Amino acid sequence: MADTPSLLQVPSSEVLEGRAKVHTAGAESVLVVRAGGKAYATAATCSHYGGPLAEGLVAGATVRCPWHHACFDLATGLASGPAMTPIACYDVVEEGGVVHVLGKRAAAAPAPAAGPVSVVIIGGGVAGAACAEALRRNGYAGPVTLVADEPPGPVDRPNLSKEYLVGTAPEEWIPLRDAAFYAEHRIDFVLGDPAVRIDPRERTVALRSGRALSYGALVLATGAEARRLDLPGAVRPNVHTLRTLADARAIIARAKEGARAVVIGASFIGLEVAASLRARKVEVEVVGPEAVPLARIVGEKIGRFVRSLHEAKGVRFHLGRRPAAIGDAGVTLDDGAVLPADFVVAGVGVAPRTALAAAAGITLDRGVAVDERLQTSEPGVFAIGDIARYPDPWSGERVRIEHFAAAQRQGQALARMLLGGAGGFRDVPFFWSAHYDTTLSYVGHAEAWDQVLETGSLEERAYSAAFEKGGKVLAVVCVGKDALGLEVEAAMERGDAAGVAALVRRG
Ligand SMILES: Cc1cc2nc3c(=O)[nH]c(=O)nc-3n(C[C@H](O)[C@H](O)[C@H](O)COP(=O)(O)OP(=O)(O)OC[C@H]3O[C@@H](n4cnc5c(N)ncnc54)[C@H](O)[C@@H]3O)c2cc1C
């Protein structure tokens, strides 16, 4: 220590338990914090979207980002969803009442980890990509094959309906990883040669080209596809869905200033598309059968609030209505009204892609059924992401979650479990949704509730609503209360029902 110059020196009395603080050393911003009595120093911003980690939460030996709940191990910098890339860690020595932050630690090669003889992952979405990468980051040296069928490879799907569709995020933000990354990490990235059959008894996967892959462990990460409308005119070329980068490009090509769009579906994707099209000065009408948008997921009050945000930006709603046909004149509704449309975007939900699993005789349950270690009914075959229905420890229900961070965390958790990690998948579902300058963040999962506990004010963008069933808080929605969302998530992970109840009352 005596010979190593410090980058930073912070009095020990100022490095407080669980209270992260940013210090600057030249051009570097360093987060310094004490957790479990030990001082740590890391990069100060999140590797996902650059969120300020000091405004997040220190829980155990992790720091979590307030923006989208990415979580980083303070000792190693390793990330969990929605971040993939580790953050930098600094060597720290504490002596004589001073925390000395030494240089940035070179990323150490992980200790070799034993695992299956090989891993084949089908599906190059975020779940599959996160699993492949986490296998390497956790020291797996065996063969890893990632079979993908969607150019250009894994993408930042949530951005497709947000900044990318608005035009404020350049296209280079969208790919999560590229071929060079996979070559560097010795991941055999197969693009454009999809898996057409799996044989769990022979432990093989057949690709469309005729290539056969054998595996020690097989990971199904085939995700979901956008549901199509089933009505006259649904296949016209100006009727779009939004799942892939190609879908987003096609919508952008139509979204000229002054164009008229009808968005069918008033749930998250439809409403985010509406907001992004308004930013491009497109005239937008939204059609949905519900009386209040999003009410089934976040309750009527927040649903009405979100509707008002859109109306203030000029979106016109046709609720309690279904489309009957799409023709030259536009979209005809079930009451006979015709909404003129240059183009239509259908956001009417997704269907899990379970065909490969079904053909192999794997048990389905409105998705692919897995146990707490994400294993399907076939030994050695696992399922993660949008296709997997798994036992959720917090609610005690079997759930299938369609969220970006959850898909990634399942991929990362499965990698650790394949390498001998104990326990099961325990992460709490989390998602966010952006409407103009307002972001909702949602922790947990509630399909029904008997009570809503509110704190704060939606108008002031400082609000929380907790959805309780049978006296247990199943989910919490926050607007502007990022710290509360993080605290609730950490308490749910610990299984601390009393802690969650106290937090949602405090607000
Ligand atoms: C526009 C949009 C916005 C969203 N916004 C948010 C948000 O704000 N917050 C949030 O939490 N979530 C959001 N989501 C949801 C989130 O993106 C998904 O939950 C997540 O991408 C699921 O990841 P996945 O890897 O399980 O599946 P997918 O992303 O669907 O990936 C599966 C991949 O598998 C491939 N595949 C399928 N079959 C085969 C085969 N036989 N062979 C080879 N490859 C195959 C598919 O081509 C696909 O590339 C959004 C989704 C969309 C579409």
Side-chain angles (χ1 to χ4, degrees):
M1 158 62 214
D3 301 338
T4 317
S6 305
L7 188 68
L8 263 177
Q9 297 187 1
V10 186
S12 292
S13 57
E14 292 177 19
V15 181
L16 302 178
E17 184 70 28
R19 302 264 291 277
K21 222 174 142 193
V22 179
H23 297 262
T24 41
E28 288 181 61
S29 295
V30 183
L31 186 90
V32 182
V33 64
R34 191 180 301 283
K38 188 169 172 353
Y40 295 93
T42 69
T45 52
C46 179
S47 63
H48 174 230
Y49 267 80
L53 295 177
E55 293 169 29
L57 179 75
V58 176
T62 66
V63 62
R64 294 154 187 232
C65 179
W67 287 1
H68 309 111
H69 291 208
C71 174
F72 300 94
D73 186 304
L74 286 167
T76 62
L78 282 181
S80 71
M84 308 255 261
T85 305
I87 52 170
C89 292
Y90 295 76
D91 285 319
V92 171
V93 173
E94 186 166 14
E95 57 182 35
V98 176
V99 172
H100 299 264
V101 177
L102 311 178
K104 206 178 270 181
R105 202 180 307 144
V117 288
S118 62
V119 182
V120 172
I121 301 164
I122 304 177
V126 74
C131 184
E133 186 168 334
L135 283 165
R136 288 289 182 252
R137 294 203 188 279
N138 287 282
Y140 180 63
V144 177
T145 307
L146 180 58
V147 182
D149 190 31
E150 181 189 333
V155 291
D156 184 354
R157 229 179 269 298
N159 205 315
L160 297 180
S161 53
K162 304 181 181 67
E163 292 95 329
Y164 179 69
L165 195 54
V166 170
T168 49
E171 191 156 313
E172 59 261 31
W173 287 12
I174 300 303
L176 294 175
R177 299 297 183 216
D178 59 15
F181 176 89
Y182 288 125
E184 184 194 338
H185 289 83
R186 294 176 298 104
I187 293 167
D188 181 13
F189 180 58
V190 179
L191 181 61
D193 191 6
V196 292
R197 200 172 49 259
I198 61 178
D199 185 337
R201 273 150 289 277
E202 295 296 320
R203 295 201 165 219
T204 56
V205 175
L207 305 187
R208 188 170 58 194
S209 63
R211 184 176 164 194
L213 305 171
S214 62
Y215 64 81
L218 175 63
V219 182
L220 302 176
T222 48
E225 60 197 338
R227 287 188 198 278
R228 308 266 156 187
L229 294 166
D230 181 15
L231 47 80
V235 295
R236 292 169 74 97
N238 66 341
V239 180
H240 298 265
T241 54
L242 177 54
R243 185 78 190 175
T244 65
L245 176 58
D247 295 338
R249 285 187 190 135
I251 295 170
I252 289 168
R254 302 253 182 210
K256 307 277 182 264
E257 184 172 339
R260 293 160 307 175
V262 172
V263 174
I264 298 175
S267 198
F268 286 111
I269 303 281
L271 292 180
E272 289 190 351
V273 167
S276 298
L277 293 179
R278 286 302 297 141
R280 287 179 179 268
K281 298 194 169 58
V282 171
E283 297 299 318
V284 181
E285 318 261 357
V286 173
V287 179
E290 58 274 72
V292 179
L294 310 177
R296 195 175 51 80
I297 304 161
V298 293
E300 297 213 346
K301 180 166 177 175
I302 301 175
R304 276 195 295 273
F305 169 70
V306 173
R307 174 182 174 165
S308 73
L309 297 177
H310 287 271
E311 285 176 331
K313 295 286 183 180
V315 174
R316 290 182 293 275
F317 282 87
H318 304 267
L319 297 171
R321 296 267 70 91
R322 291 174 192 275
I326 302 171
D328 289 339
V331 178
T332 304
L333 303 186
D334 54 0
D335 63 354
V338 178
L339 307 178
D342 296 305
F343 68 101
V344 174
V345 182
V348 291
V350 298
R353 298 176 74 168
T354 54
L356 284 176
I362 289 172
T363 303
L364 302 185
D365 173 14
R366 294 159 295 149
V368 176
V370 294
D371 64 15
E372 66 283 0
R373 290 182 65 80
L374 306 175
Q375 182 164 265
T376 70
S377 56
E378 282 291 341
V381 183
F382 302 82
I384 53 174
D386 277 13
I387 60 161
R389 186 172 294 276
Y390 65 94
D392 170 36
W394 180 257
S395 63
E397 304 284 332
R398 295 184 59 78
V399 299
R400 190 176 67 76
I401 300 293
E402 294 166 2
H403 307 339
F404 190 74
Q408 223 166 321
R409 291 175 190 174
Q410 285 171 32
Q412 291 161 334
L414 177 59
R416 292 191 295 270
M417 292 190 282
L418 288 175
L419 304 181
F425 178 69
R426 297 195 60 81
D427 289 32
V428 174
F430 162 76
F431 77 89
W432 72 98
S433 180
H435 304 264
Y436 312 98
D437 56 355
T438 302
T439 298
L440 310 182
S441 69
Y442 183 108
V443 174
H445 184 73
E447 290 180 9
W449 54 86
D450 46 39
Q451 204 189 336
V452 182
L453 286 166
E454 297 174 274
T455 66
S457 147
L458 275 169
E459 287 63 38
E460 288 166 21
R461 309 291 194 273
Y463 174 82
S464 69
F467 298 88
E468 257 191 28
K469 191 173 176 202
K472 184 171 189 184
V473 176
L474 294 181
V476 178
V477 181
C478 295
V479 176
K481 292 197 175 200
D482 296 332
L484 176 66
L486 283 169
E487 286 176 284
V488 168
E489 186 179 56
M492 285 183 173
E493 275 172 21
R494 295 193 303 271
D496 179 3
V500 172
L503 284 166
V504 300
R505 279 167 178 75
R506 186 203 73 191

